Every structure is written in C-alpha cells, then in structure tokens.
Amino acid sequence: MPDAILDDISHRRYNALRGNWILVSPHRTKRPWQGQQEAASQTTLPDYDASCYLCPGNKRAQGDVNPHYTAEEPFIFVNDYSAVKEDQAEYTTPDQDGSLSTRFLHAEPTTGKCYVISFNPAHNLTLADLPPASILPIINAWTRIYTAHLSPRSPLASVAQPTTLTPHGHEESITAPKAQYRYMQIFENKGAAMGCSNPHPHGQIWTTSSLPDEPREELEQLKKYRREQGGANLLEDYAKLEAEKQERVVYENAGFLALCPWWATWPFEVMIVSKAHRRALVDLSAEEKLQLAEALQEVTRRYDNLFQTHFPYSMGLHQAPLDGTNEEIESSHFHIHFFPPLLRSASVRKFLVGYEMLAEPQRDITPEQAAARLRGCAGDLYRKDLN
C-alpha cells in the first residue's frame, strides 16, 4: 500500500498520463453519511421497444429503417445527427496580420464522420448483462471500422486485416470516408446521468480531421516518456508496476489489467490497459480480444453490483491515431477509460465544480479504497436474482 500517512492527510498525486495533478483528501471520507439509501433497481425495459430508433426493424428519426441485425453482427450506421460533417462550406483561417482579432479569434475547420453502433438487438441488455462471447462481436466491429479508416501510410496498416466498412449481412449501405481523417474516438455514454438519449445499449464512433485535446495531451506524455526512457512505453511500464503491487487492480487476466489509476479523478474511475505494448485494436490477437471482452464484462458487472443499479459512465478507447507520425504510432498504447459519476449511492454523484473547475481535480475516496470495493463486487450480476 502507499505510505500509511497518505490515508489520513491531504496530498497531491501526479498523473503521468496527462502531466497534471489531482488533490486527494482521504480524511473527508470519515464524515458521517445520512443520505438516502436506495433499494436495488430492477430492469424494467422490454426486450424490444417499437418506439426505439435502435431496435431491429424500426424506423429512425430521418426515415431509414434498421436491418434485422443479430447479436453476432452489431449494427453500425452513420449518425443521423452527426457532430461533424464530411461536406461543409470552405473556411480558410485568416492570415496572421498582427491584429487583436487574428491574435485571439482563431478558428479552424474540422470535418469528419460520426457513427452509431448498436451493441445488441436486445433493448434491455447492457455490457454488464452480456457474457464475454457476446461482447466480442462489438470489439470485432470496433476493429473493422478502425481498420477501414486507417491511413495506408500508418505502420499499423501492415498488421491490420483487410476489411470492409459495412459488417457482412447489413442492409444499410455505408460509404467509405471521403478523406483521410486524423483520429477516431470510440465511446459509450451509459445512463441518463451521462446524457444518453436512448437506453438501448449503444456507443458512438467519431472520426475527425483534427487530433482532439484529450488524446493529444496523453500522446505528448507518451512520446516524452519514450524519448526519455530509451524507447520504453509509459503504459506498459505502468501496467507492470500495478501488476506487481496489486493495490489498485480490480481485475486481471493474461492480457489486460483493470485498475483504479493512481491519478484517478472520478470516485470509481477505472482504466483497462493492455499488459503488453499494443498500439491499437488491430494489434490485438483473437485471444487478446476475448480477454478484452472479459475485462469489459468484469468492470461493467462490478459497477452495477456496487450500488445495485444500472451504473452510469462515459467509457472510451484511446489508441493510435488513424494518421500520424511513426513516433506517434509507436508511442501509443491501447487503453480504455471509464469515467463514472456515482459517489456514495445510486443517486449521489460527484460533481466537478468550484475548486475542481477553478484550480485542479479533487477526490475523497482513494483509488486504493475504490479498487478494494470493486474487487468485492465480483460474482453474478445482482439483478439476476431480481428479475
């Protein structure tokens, strides 16, 4: 364990992946809690909802009809309300003429393509409900769409299996991207608390011509570590350290660690990280993809068991850019972030406000305490005994 004194004093922890700090205040967990205690929540959603725009055979908002897809072939389609577009009016950044406007009012165009991926035809089955074998097709679909957008110049192109954008058997036609995009962000927002507009289990895939800030900041740290440590990989070394210490590990198999990072901001934040240096999904073997499916199932099931509720979170994959320099690609390391807001119960959540917005992130419960609680939430999904 960390020095025992750190369990009682306020201290800052360094986030090696982002290069910033977080304030930890473990003594605040001793405050008495007299808030509401909730009963275990049951699944009340049907297997099929005729009004759901993601269920098989249903019509979506703009009139397209979903195919009768299966659990073996997750359904991917272009987002009907995409955040970025492939075709838009041209915009050229004005010349830097020294004026205050060009100094401060800087903008650049961003194009791209956004997709929705429906994980499963069942309206009421989340990742926590699915066995690893039913999560594996989702990982395979993520891999296919990443591969279909991968730059032929990337070192990853030589290891990626040939693929088509549209999974076999889908009636929906998805055209190839019109440009070589820089980055792909695969993510899932689960639960109304995270702004999810539809309870049907699904995720999103955004490709953009720019490299977004979060992966860019991580990539800068990964490159810096590789340069300073003679070619070593930051997250590979970090995974080795965490596997040795076991203090923050929630779940482990041959290929992956699921852990509450030393620098976690959210109370029950988890990172799934590959033990070996894997740059992106295309680097994973068939066996490693199944191990990743097992890790995803373990994390999401333990989340739901913790407060006996459908645990909300934002989850996202970070991996090598679609198009980048050799240094960027080789420095990248595949990992998945889970950012969940719940703090003490199914209805008490953490907010990043005040000091955290104006100074730096802060947490009360330590990552070690959070990991211990999640380790204790193994076993069958709680609602199996309720439904």
Side-chain angles (χ1 to χ4, degrees):
M1 293 293 290
D3 293 340
I5 193 173
L6 293 183
D7 287 335
D8 292 310
I9 67 168
S10 54
H11 61 280
R12 299 171 82 208
R13 296 192 181 193
Y14 181 64
N15 183 342
L17 189 55
R18 287 178 51 84
N20 59 3
W21 294 81
I22 176 171
L23 174 64
V24 185
S25 310
H27 54 284
R28 284 163 55 93
T29 60
K30 297 176 183 178
R31 293 178 299 169
W33 170 248
Q34 296 178 328
Q36 180 179 356
Q37 300 296 321
E38 293 84 9
S41 63
Q42 294 180 260
T43 299
T44 56
L45 297 174
D47 181 68
Y48 169 79
D49 184 344
S51 65
C52 171
Y53 63 81
L54 293 176
C55 281
N58 287 359
K59 183 180 291 188
R60 299 203 306 277
Q62 296 191 7
D64 294 317
V65 178
N66 297 333
H68 290 279
Y69 62 97
T70 67
E72 288 72 36
E73 290 286 357
F75 175 44
I76 299 175
F77 61 93
V78 176
N79 196 321
D80 296 322
Y81 301 96
S82 295
V84 290
K85 300 182 295 183
E86 290 201 284
D87 298 310
Q88 61 183 17
E90 294 289 333
Y91 175 80
T92 302
T93 303
D95 293 334
Q96 299 297 309
D97 58 8
S99 68
L100 291 180
S101 289
T102 57
R103 196 176 301 171
F104 292 110
L105 308 182
H106 185 72
E108 63 179 22
T110 298
T111 57
K113 200 168 185 178
C114 298
Y115 303 90
V116 174
I117 173 171
S118 182
F119 294 155
N120 192 282
H123 186 72
N124 56 0
L125 296 181
T126 67
L127 293 181
D129 296 286
L130 298 175
S134 295
I135 297 177
L136 184 59
I138 300 168
I139 296 171
N140 288 334
W142 287 340
T143 306
R144 284 196 298 269
I145 199 162
Y146 177 88
T147 301
H149 289 76
L150 190 61
S151 170
R153 299 185 297 271
S154 171
L156 291 165
S158 62
V159 299
Q161 296 295 317
T163 188
T164 55
L165 198 57
T166 308
H168 175 72
H170 286 177
E171 300 167 9
E172 183 94 0
S173 175
I174 301 178
T175 59
K178 295 181 178 180
Q180 178 56 64
Y181 295 119
R182 179 86 159 97
Y183 193 77
M184 173 177 287
Q185 182 59 62
I186 299 171
F187 65 98
E188 178 197 10
N189 293 325
K190 180 190 174 188
M194 306 310 294
C196 183
S197 60
N198 189 323
H200 192 116
H202 71 284
Q204 298 188 54
I205 303 164
W206 293 14
T207 60
T208 54
S209 55
S210 55
L211 181 64
D213 280 350
E214 292 294 327
R216 178 185 57 79
E217 290 179 6
E218 287 189 359
L219 194 51
E220 286 303 314
Q221 291 298 111
L222 292 167
K223 290 191 298 182
K224 180 174 180 285
Y225 187 91
R226 187 168 180 261
R227 289 193 297 264
E228 294 177 350
Q229 302 301 326
N233 184 273
L234 186 154
L235 283 178
E236 184 178 19
D237 284 354
Y238 178 63
K240 179 181 178 181
L241 174 67
E242 291 288 21
E244 291 172 353
K245 289 187 172 294
Q246 290 291 310
E247 298 159 356
R248 288 165 291 277
V249 174
V250 174
Y251 171 78
E252 178 180 5
N253 59 28
F256 292 89
L257 284 177
L259 55 94
C260 296
W262 167 261
W263 51 74
T265 294
W266 296 95
F268 294 96
E269 180 178 327
V270 165
M271 179 170 66
I272 297 177
V273 58
S274 59
K275 291 182 177 180
H277 182 209
R278 299 291 181 262
R279 300 162 295 179
L281 284 164
V282 295
D283 275 341
L284 301 182
S285 66
E287 183 179 12
E288 287 172 325
K289 287 178 183 176
L290 182 56
Q291 291 163 354
L292 177 59
E294 292 168 352
L296 286 166
Q297 211 287 324
E298 286 286 342
V299 171
T300 55
R301 190 181 77 253
R302 289 165 194 256
Y303 271 166
D304 281 14
N305 284 348
L306 179 62
F307 296 132
Q308 296 194 329
T309 191
H310 287 276
F311 203 85
Y313 57 73
S314 281
M315 173 269 283
L317 284 61
H318 279 176
Q319 55 187 328
L322 297 169
D323 191 18
T325 66
N326 282 359
E327 183 186 21
E328 288 177 335
I329 303 303
E330 297 307 322
S331 298
S332 297
H333 189 106
F334 178 81
H335 60 286
I336 299 178
H337 291 290
F338 281 86
F339 299 138
L342 296 188
L343 176 60
R344 290 192 181 94
S345 71
S347 63
V348 178
R349 57 178 295 184
K350 174 183 175 65
F351 294 93
L352 292 179
V353 297
Y355 185 88
E356 292 157 307
M357 294 181 71
L358 299 166
E360 67 185 6
Q362 182 272 341
R363 64 178 292 131
D364 294 345
I365 181 175
T366 67
E368 295 77 29
Q369 293 167 334
R373 292 190 62 181
L374 289 171
R375 283 196 298 269
C377 292
D380 288 342
L381 188 62
Y382 78 93
R383 55 181 169 269
K384 278 189 173 182
D385 297 328
L386 299 176
N387 297 331

